[in-house]
Amino acid sequence: MTNPTSETAAPSIPVVDLKSLPKVSLHDHLDGGLRPQTIIDLAAEVGHELPATDAEELRAWFQESANSGSLERYLETFDHTIAVMQTHDALVRVAREFVEDLAEDGVVYGEVRWAPEQHLTAGLTLDEVVEAVQEGLEEGMDLVDEAGGYIEVGQLVTAMRHADRGSEIAQLAVRHRDNGVVGFDIAGAENGFLPSRFTEAFTYLAENNFPATVHAGEAAGLESIQDALVHGRALRLGHGVRIAEDIHLDVQEEDGRDVGTVTLGDLAQWVRDRQIPLELCPSSNLQTGAIAQFGTTISEHPIDLLYQLGFNVTVNTDNRLMSGVTLTGEFGLLVETFGYGLDTVLEFTLNAVHASFLPIESREKLADFIIEHYEDVMEDMEEFEDSEEFEAFDESDLDDTDQG
Ligand SMILES: [Zn+2]
């Protein structure tokens, strides 16, 4: 862990371009990451009415709605994105652009989640929509490759928890396991819709050795996390941030100093000791009120507590359009707020590599690639620190540095 006030940490800020660092994105919704202009184009094709028809105005509308504090307004944003993602060509385009946008942000491996059951209103079947998204993802990967970049993106097929299609969607996911689908997820209304509603689906997945991540510990608390692990057999927790509610801090004054003890409940202990990955999404967690018990600013987000206590933390975006974020931006926010150094950014990234649903050989290759890149950057930093430029480095430069 880097001490933000140490002499070696400070100069890293002006020389490290977070965007250029290879990143891994595990929690990113397809219907939450469209380009505003694409929504406008697709809406015109199908005659869907939007709250704005100028790309920048529409972008602002999405972000305002997500920030409004009203769940109703937040959910309304998805009505619009999902409405324009009902045809084969629309799904191909959205998936292709999703890959291009991740690559542009420096993501080298991503898992994109979406719910096929929400894309059937124009008459496509579940299999057809999965194939259309796969076509778009592959087109995107090819385009990035042709442009000299590199990215791989797999699908996480999601079932909506308020609906009753869990088993059907689990079978769909397994059916496409050799054609781009790498895992299963449940999303939507967490409160009142425990994973145990889908026990049959999760048993089917387990019997087919197919991995699941489960949204839990976002809109609901510990009971939901426990249920995701027991009935959902979750290998990762979508957000899982409310596991921090099972961590008890007791700070007392001793000899004029604050001395604290930390006690973990059985569930937090299990999640930490089993190293169950947490797909944390800092900005989204603030907007949705997932961390309301802890505070209303990013500095009060329990991500740092979880990290310091040894939880398996990964950093994600959730809905890039609605939250107006990128993975680079989220890392920048954490670096700025908690003073993390490059070593911590690397640690979070490698956590994501190992938490991904890739086979172990691919994970190891990906980890080697990322570490090599970081070593080059760190070498450059050392050279910089030995340089005259560094001698002339002024603390005030820090304030002008845009990390986003
Ligand atoms: Zn999510």
PDB file of all heavy atoms in Angstrom, residues 361-384:
ATOM      1  N   GLU A 361      -5.853 -20.551 -17.554  1.00  0.00           N
ATOM      2  CA  GLU A 361      -4.717 -20.267 -18.444  1.00  0.00           C
ATOM      3  C   GLU A 361      -4.837 -18.833 -18.989  1.00  0.00           C
ATOM      4  O   GLU A 361      -3.858 -18.105 -19.081  1.00  0.00           O
ATOM      5  CB  GLU A 361      -4.683 -21.225 -19.650  1.00  0.00           C
ATOM      6  CG  GLU A 361      -4.567 -22.689 -19.312  1.00  0.00           C
ATOM      7  CD  GLU A 361      -5.921 -23.348 -19.063  1.00  0.00           C
ATOM      8  OE1 GLU A 361      -6.951 -22.629 -18.931  1.00  0.00           O
ATOM      9  OE2 GLU A 361      -5.953 -24.582 -18.967  1.00  0.00           O
ATOM     10  N   SER A 362      -6.059 -18.454 -19.368  1.00  0.00           N
ATOM     11  CA  SER A 362      -6.277 -17.117 -19.922  1.00  0.00           C
ATOM     12  C   SER A 362      -6.076 -16.055 -18.850  1.00  0.00           C
ATOM     13  O   SER A 362      -5.563 -14.968 -19.114  1.00  0.00           O
ATOM     14  CB  SER A 362      -7.689 -16.999 -20.488  1.00  0.00           C
ATOM     15  OG  SER A 362      -7.951 -18.055 -21.363  1.00  0.00           O
ATOM     16  N   ARG A 363      -6.492 -16.373 -17.629  1.00  0.00           N
ATOM     17  CA  ARG A 363      -6.318 -15.399 -16.546  1.00  0.00           C
ATOM     18  C   ARG A 363      -4.843 -15.142 -16.291  1.00  0.00           C
ATOM     19  O   ARG A 363      -4.412 -14.017 -16.083  1.00  0.00           O
ATOM     20  CB  ARG A 363      -6.992 -15.907 -15.259  1.00  0.00           C
ATOM     21  CG  ARG A 363      -8.490 -16.091 -15.385  1.00  0.00           C
ATOM     22  CD  ARG A 363      -9.198 -15.980 -14.044  1.00  0.00           C
ATOM     23  NE  ARG A 363      -8.710 -16.880 -13.031  1.00  0.00           N
ATOM     24  CZ  ARG A 363      -9.316 -18.015 -12.653  1.00  0.00           C
ATOM     25  NH1 ARG A 363     -10.427 -18.402 -13.250  1.00  0.00           N
ATOM     26  NH2 ARG A 363      -8.826 -18.751 -11.691  1.00  0.00           N
ATOM     27  N   GLU A 364      -4.077 -16.227 -16.308  1.00  0.00           N
ATOM     28  CA  GLU A 364      -2.641 -16.074 -16.058  1.00  0.00           C
ATOM     29  C   GLU A 364      -1.971 -15.269 -17.170  1.00  0.00           C
ATOM     30  O   GLU A 364      -1.119 -14.419 -16.910  1.00  0.00           O
ATOM     31  CB  GLU A 364      -1.981 -17.451 -15.895  1.00  0.00           C
ATOM     32  CG  GLU A 364      -2.262 -18.020 -14.517  1.00  0.00           C
ATOM     33  CD  GLU A 364      -1.892 -19.485 -14.341  1.00  0.00           C
ATOM     34  OE1 GLU A 364      -1.446 -20.115 -15.326  1.00  0.00           O
ATOM     35  OE2 GLU A 364      -2.074 -19.996 -13.214  1.00  0.00           O
ATOM     36  N   LYS A 365      -2.383 -15.539 -18.404  1.00  0.00           N
ATOM     37  CA  LYS A 365      -1.819 -14.789 -19.537  1.00  0.00           C
ATOM     38  C   LYS A 365      -2.161 -13.303 -19.430  1.00  0.00           C
ATOM     39  O   LYS A 365      -1.320 -12.428 -19.654  1.00  0.00           O
ATOM     40  CB  LYS A 365      -2.380 -15.341 -20.858  1.00  0.00           C
ATOM     41  CG  LYS A 365      -1.339 -16.103 -21.669  1.00  0.00           C
ATOM     42  CD  LYS A 365      -1.978 -16.861 -22.789  1.00  0.00           C
ATOM     43  CE  LYS A 365      -2.059 -16.073 -24.090  1.00  0.00           C
ATOM     44  NZ  LYS A 365      -2.639 -16.930 -25.167  1.00  0.00           N
ATOM     45  N   LEU A 366      -3.426 -13.058 -19.072  1.00  0.00           N
ATOM     46  CA  LEU A 366      -3.897 -11.677 -18.936  1.00  0.00           C
ATOM     47  C   LEU A 366      -3.145 -10.972 -17.802  1.00  0.00           C
ATOM     48  O   LEU A 366      -2.720  -9.816 -17.940  1.00  0.00           O
ATOM     49  CB  LEU A 366      -5.404 -11.700 -18.667  1.00  0.00           C
ATOM     50  CG  LEU A 366      -6.152 -10.375 -18.631  1.00  0.00           C
ATOM     51  CD1 LEU A 366      -5.983  -9.613 -19.934  1.00  0.00           C
ATOM     52  CD2 LEU A 366      -7.649 -10.626 -18.375  1.00  0.00           C
ATOM     53  N   ALA A 367      -2.964 -11.674 -16.707  1.00  0.00           N
ATOM     54  CA  ALA A 367      -2.247 -11.090 -15.569  1.00  0.00           C
ATOM     55  C   ALA A 367      -0.808 -10.744 -15.968  1.00  0.00           C
ATOM     56  O   ALA A 367      -0.310  -9.648 -15.667  1.00  0.00           O
ATOM     57  CB  ALA A 367      -2.256 -12.048 -14.383  1.00  0.00           C
ATOM     58  N   ASP A 368      -0.145 -11.658 -16.678  1.00  0.00           N
ATOM     59  CA  ASP A 368       1.237 -11.405 -17.115  1.00  0.00           C
ATOM     60  C   ASP A 368       1.301 -10.170 -18.003  1.00  0.00           C
ATOM     61  O   ASP A 368       2.191  -9.337 -17.871  1.00  0.00           O
ATOM     62  CB  ASP A 368       1.785 -12.617 -17.904  1.00  0.00           C
ATOM     63  CG  ASP A 368       2.073 -13.789 -16.976  1.00  0.00           C
ATOM     64  OD1 ASP A 368       2.110 -13.576 -15.741  1.00  0.00           O
ATOM     65  OD2 ASP A 368       2.244 -14.911 -17.487  1.00  0.00           O
ATOM     66  N   PHE A 369       0.349 -10.078 -18.932  1.00  0.00           N
ATOM     67  CA  PHE A 369       0.303  -8.943 -19.857  1.00  0.00           C
ATOM     68  C   PHE A 369       0.163  -7.627 -19.085  1.00  0.00           C
ATOM     69  O   PHE A 369       0.852  -6.644 -19.345  1.00  0.00           O
ATOM     70  CB  PHE A 369      -0.882  -9.134 -20.825  1.00  0.00           C
ATOM     71  CG  PHE A 369      -1.185  -7.946 -21.679  1.00  0.00           C
ATOM     72  CD1 PHE A 369      -0.428  -7.680 -22.817  1.00  0.00           C
ATOM     73  CD2 PHE A 369      -2.233  -7.087 -21.355  1.00  0.00           C
ATOM     74  CE1 PHE A 369      -0.707  -6.568 -23.605  1.00  0.00           C
ATOM     75  CE2 PHE A 369      -2.516  -5.976 -22.138  1.00  0.00           C
ATOM     76  CZ  PHE A 369      -1.751  -5.717 -23.268  1.00  0.00           C
ATOM     77  N   ILE A 370      -0.733  -7.631 -18.108  1.00  0.00           N
ATOM     78  CA  ILE A 370      -0.994  -6.410 -17.342  1.00  0.00           C
ATOM     79  C   ILE A 370       0.207  -6.042 -16.481  1.00  0.00           C
ATOM     80  O   ILE A 370       0.648  -4.883 -16.446  1.00  0.00           O
ATOM     81  CB  ILE A 370      -2.281  -6.581 -16.490  1.00  0.00           C
ATOM     82  CG1 ILE A 370      -3.506  -6.615 -17.419  1.00  0.00           C
ATOM     83  CG2 ILE A 370      -2.410  -5.475 -15.455  1.00  0.00           C
ATOM     84  CD1 ILE A 370      -4.804  -6.998 -16.752  1.00  0.00           C
ATOM     85  N   ILE A 371       0.787  -7.030 -15.818  1.00  0.00           N
ATOM     86  CA  ILE A 371       1.940  -6.770 -14.944  1.00  0.00           C
ATOM     87  C   ILE A 371       3.105  -6.204 -15.765  1.00  0.00           C
ATOM     88  O   ILE A 371       3.760  -5.243 -15.364  1.00  0.00           O
ATOM     89  CB  ILE A 371       2.361  -8.054 -14.195  1.00  0.00           C
ATOM     90  CG1 ILE A 371       1.287  -8.423 -13.163  1.00  0.00           C
ATOM     91  CG2 ILE A 371       3.725  -7.885 -13.516  1.00  0.00           C
ATOM     92  CD1 ILE A 371       1.437  -9.809 -12.560  1.00  0.00           C
ATOM     93  N   GLU A 372       3.306  -6.792 -16.933  1.00  0.00           N
ATOM     94  CA  GLU A 372       4.393  -6.320 -17.805  1.00  0.00           C
ATOM     95  C   GLU A 372       4.201  -4.836 -18.151  1.00  0.00           C
ATOM     96  O   GLU A 372       5.134  -4.047 -18.104  1.00  0.00           O
ATOM     97  CB  GLU A 372       4.386  -7.154 -19.088  1.00  0.00           C
ATOM     98  CG  GLU A 372       5.756  -7.426 -19.649  1.00  0.00           C
ATOM     99  CD  GLU A 372       5.655  -8.481 -20.741  1.00  0.00           C
ATOM    100  OE1 GLU A 372       5.536  -9.682 -20.401  1.00  0.00           O
ATOM    101  OE2 GLU A 372       5.644  -8.082 -21.912  1.00  0.00           O
ATOM    102  N   HIS A 373       2.967  -4.500 -18.484  1.00  0.00           N
ATOM    103  CA  HIS A 373       2.658  -3.112 -18.830  1.00  0.00           C
ATOM    104  C   HIS A 373       2.943  -2.185 -17.639  1.00  0.00           C
ATOM    105  O   HIS A 373       3.540  -1.129 -17.787  1.00  0.00           O
ATOM    106  CB  HIS A 373       1.196  -2.979 -19.266  1.00  0.00           C
ATOM    107  CG  HIS A 373       0.867  -1.664 -19.870  1.00  0.00           C
ATOM    108  ND1 HIS A 373       0.737  -1.481 -21.232  1.00  0.00           N
ATOM    109  CD2 HIS A 373       0.688  -0.445 -19.305  1.00  0.00           C
ATOM    110  CE1 HIS A 373       0.472  -0.215 -21.470  1.00  0.00           C
ATOM    111  NE2 HIS A 373       0.420   0.443 -20.315  1.00  0.00           N
ATOM    112  N   TYR A 374       2.507  -2.605 -16.466  1.00  0.00           N
ATOM    113  CA  TYR A 374       2.728  -1.790 -15.264  1.00  0.00           C
ATOM    114  C   TYR A 374       4.218  -1.644 -14.972  1.00  0.00           C
ATOM    115  O   TYR A 374       4.679  -0.589 -14.539  1.00  0.00           O
ATOM    116  CB  TYR A 374       2.021  -2.419 -14.053  1.00  0.00           C
ATOM    117  CG  TYR A 374       0.617  -1.903 -13.839  1.00  0.00           C
ATOM    118  CD1 TYR A 374      -0.427  -2.325 -14.659  1.00  0.00           C
ATOM    119  CD2 TYR A 374       0.338  -0.991 -12.833  1.00  0.00           C
ATOM    120  CE1 TYR A 374      -1.713  -1.863 -14.465  1.00  0.00           C
ATOM    121  CE2 TYR A 374      -0.958  -0.523 -12.631  1.00  0.00           C
ATOM    122  CZ  TYR A 374      -1.973  -0.962 -13.451  1.00  0.00           C
ATOM    123  OH  TYR A 374      -3.248  -0.487 -13.259  1.00  0.00           O
ATOM    124  N   GLU A 375       4.971  -2.731 -15.187  1.00  0.00           N
ATOM    125  CA  GLU A 375       6.412  -2.659 -14.931  1.00  0.00           C
ATOM    126  C   GLU A 375       7.069  -1.613 -15.820  1.00  0.00           C
ATOM    127  O   GLU A 375       7.921  -0.853 -15.378  1.00  0.00           O
ATOM    128  CB  GLU A 375       7.055  -4.046 -15.130  1.00  0.00           C
ATOM    129  CG  GLU A 375       6.861  -4.917 -13.908  1.00  0.00           C
ATOM    130  CD  GLU A 375       7.308  -6.367 -14.114  1.00  0.00           C
ATOM    131  OE1 GLU A 375       7.642  -6.739 -15.265  1.00  0.00           O
ATOM    132  OE2 GLU A 375       7.292  -7.114 -13.120  1.00  0.00           O
ATOM    133  N   ASP A 376       6.617  -1.574 -17.082  1.00  0.00           N
ATOM    134  CA  ASP A 376       7.155  -0.564 -18.005  1.00  0.00           C
ATOM    135  C   ASP A 376       6.832   0.842 -17.500  1.00  0.00           C
ATOM    136  O   ASP A 376       7.691   1.726 -17.508  1.00  0.00           O
ATOM    137  CB  ASP A 376       6.544  -0.734 -19.406  1.00  0.00           C
ATOM    138  CG  ASP A 376       7.083  -1.965 -20.108  1.00  0.00           C
ATOM    139  OD1 ASP A 376       8.103  -2.514 -19.621  1.00  0.00           O
ATOM    140  OD2 ASP A 376       6.495  -2.379 -21.116  1.00  0.00           O
ATOM    141  N   VAL A 377       5.585   1.032 -17.056  1.00  0.00           N
ATOM    142  CA  VAL A 377       5.167   2.351 -16.579  1.00  0.00           C
ATOM    143  C   VAL A 377       5.974   2.735 -15.336  1.00  0.00           C
ATOM    144  O   VAL A 377       6.449   3.858 -15.200  1.00  0.00           O
ATOM    145  CB  VAL A 377       3.649   2.367 -16.267  1.00  0.00           C
ATOM    146  CG1 VAL A 377       3.244   3.659 -15.581  1.00  0.00           C
ATOM    147  CG2 VAL A 377       2.857   2.177 -17.549  1.00  0.00           C
ATOM    148  N   MET A 378       6.148   1.760 -14.434  1.00  0.00           N
ATOM    149  CA  MET A 378       6.881   2.047 -13.201  1.00  0.00           C
ATOM    150  C   MET A 378       8.347   2.364 -13.493  1.00  0.00           C
ATOM    151  O   MET A 378       8.949   3.223 -12.859  1.00  0.00           O
ATOM    152  CB  MET A 378       6.757   0.876 -12.228  1.00  0.00           C
ATOM    153  CG  MET A 378       5.360   0.796 -11.590  1.00  0.00           C
ATOM    154  SD  MET A 378       5.168  -0.689 -10.577  1.00  0.00           S
ATOM    155  CE  MET A 378       3.501  -0.518  -9.966  1.00  0.00           C
ATOM    156  N   GLU A 379       8.904   1.672 -14.487  1.00  0.00           N
ATOM    157  CA  GLU A 379      10.286   1.941 -14.898  1.00  0.00           C
ATOM    158  C   GLU A 379      10.411   3.380 -15.406  1.00  0.00           C
ATOM    159  O   GLU A 379      11.323   4.108 -15.041  1.00  0.00           O
ATOM    160  CB  GLU A 379      10.674   0.972 -16.013  1.00  0.00           C
ATOM    161  CG  GLU A 379      12.082   0.432 -15.903  1.00  0.00           C
ATOM    162  CD  GLU A 379      12.229  -0.760 -16.824  1.00  0.00           C
ATOM    163  OE1 GLU A 379      12.581  -0.519 -17.995  1.00  0.00           O
ATOM    164  OE2 GLU A 379      11.958  -1.900 -16.377  1.00  0.00           O
ATOM    165  N   ASP A 380       9.444   3.768 -16.241  1.00  0.00           N
ATOM    166  CA  ASP A 380       9.425   5.144 -16.759  1.00  0.00           C
ATOM    167  C   ASP A 380       9.334   6.143 -15.615  1.00  0.00           C
ATOM    168  O   ASP A 380       9.949   7.202 -15.643  1.00  0.00           O
ATOM    169  CB  ASP A 380       8.223   5.361 -17.690  1.00  0.00           C
ATOM    170  CG  ASP A 380       8.394   4.627 -19.006  1.00  0.00           C
ATOM    171  OD1 ASP A 380       9.510   4.144 -19.265  1.00  0.00           O
ATOM    172  OD2 ASP A 380       7.402   4.533 -19.755  1.00  0.00           O
ATOM    173  N   MET A 381       8.549   5.773 -14.596  1.00  0.00           N
ATOM    174  CA  MET A 381       8.388   6.675 -13.461  1.00  0.00           C
ATOM    175  C   MET A 381       9.695   6.850 -12.711  1.00  0.00           C
ATOM    176  O   MET A 381      10.051   7.940 -12.286  1.00  0.00           O
ATOM    177  CB  MET A 381       7.341   6.125 -12.492  1.00  0.00           C
ATOM    178  CG  MET A 381       5.928   6.513 -12.864  1.00  0.00           C
ATOM    179  SD  MET A 381       4.746   5.549 -11.938  1.00  0.00           S
ATOM    180  CE  MET A 381       5.250   5.909 -10.262  1.00  0.00           C
ATOM    181  N   GLU A 382      10.424   5.732 -12.565  1.00  0.00           N
ATOM    182  CA  GLU A 382      11.709   5.823 -11.870  1.00  0.00           C
ATOM    183  C   GLU A 382      12.672   6.704 -12.647  1.00  0.00           C
ATOM    184  O   GLU A 382      13.384   7.519 -12.080  1.00  0.00           O
ATOM    185  CB  GLU A 382      12.302   4.420 -11.661  1.00  0.00           C
ATOM    186  CG  GLU A 382      11.747   3.773 -10.403  1.00  0.00           C
ATOM    187  CD  GLU A 382      11.970   2.268 -10.352  1.00  0.00           C
ATOM    188  OE1 GLU A 382      12.972   1.800 -10.929  1.00  0.00           O
ATOM    189  OE2 GLU A 382      11.124   1.582  -9.749  1.00  0.00           O
ATOM    190  N   GLU A 383      12.653   6.528 -13.969  1.00  0.00           N
ATOM    191  CA  GLU A 383      13.504   7.383 -14.805  1.00  0.00           C
ATOM    192  C   GLU A 383      13.130   8.843 -14.629  1.00  0.00           C
ATOM    193  O   GLU A 383      13.966   9.718 -14.523  1.00  0.00           O
ATOM    194  CB  GLU A 383      13.371   6.990 -16.284  1.00  0.00           C
ATOM    195  CG  GLU A 383      14.276   5.848 -16.664  1.00  0.00           C
ATOM    196  CD  GLU A 383      13.977   5.324 -18.057  1.00  0.00           C
ATOM    197  OE1 GLU A 383      13.553   6.134 -18.904  1.00  0.00           O
ATOM    198  OE2 GLU A 383      14.156   4.119 -18.269  1.00  0.00           O
ATOM    199  N   PHE A 384      11.815   9.055 -14.557  1.00  0.00           N
ATOM    200  CA  PHE A 384      11.315  10.424 -14.387  1.00  0.00           C
ATOM    201  C   PHE A 384      11.794  11.002 -13.061  1.00  0.00           C
ATOM    202  O   PHE A 384      12.229  12.152 -12.970  1.00  0.00           O
ATOM    203  CB  PHE A 384       9.787  10.426 -14.436  1.00  0.00           C
ATOM    204  CG  PHE A 384       9.159  11.757 -14.122  1.00  0.00           C
ATOM    205  CD1 PHE A 384       9.171  12.785 -15.057  1.00  0.00           C
ATOM    206  CD2 PHE A 384       8.586  11.996 -12.882  1.00  0.00           C
ATOM    207  CE1 PHE A 384       8.605  14.010 -14.767  1.00  0.00           C
ATOM    208  CE2 PHE A 384       8.021  13.229 -12.583  1.00  0.00           C
ATOM    209  CZ  PHE A 384       8.028  14.242 -13.525  1.00  0.00           C
TER     210      PHE A 384
END
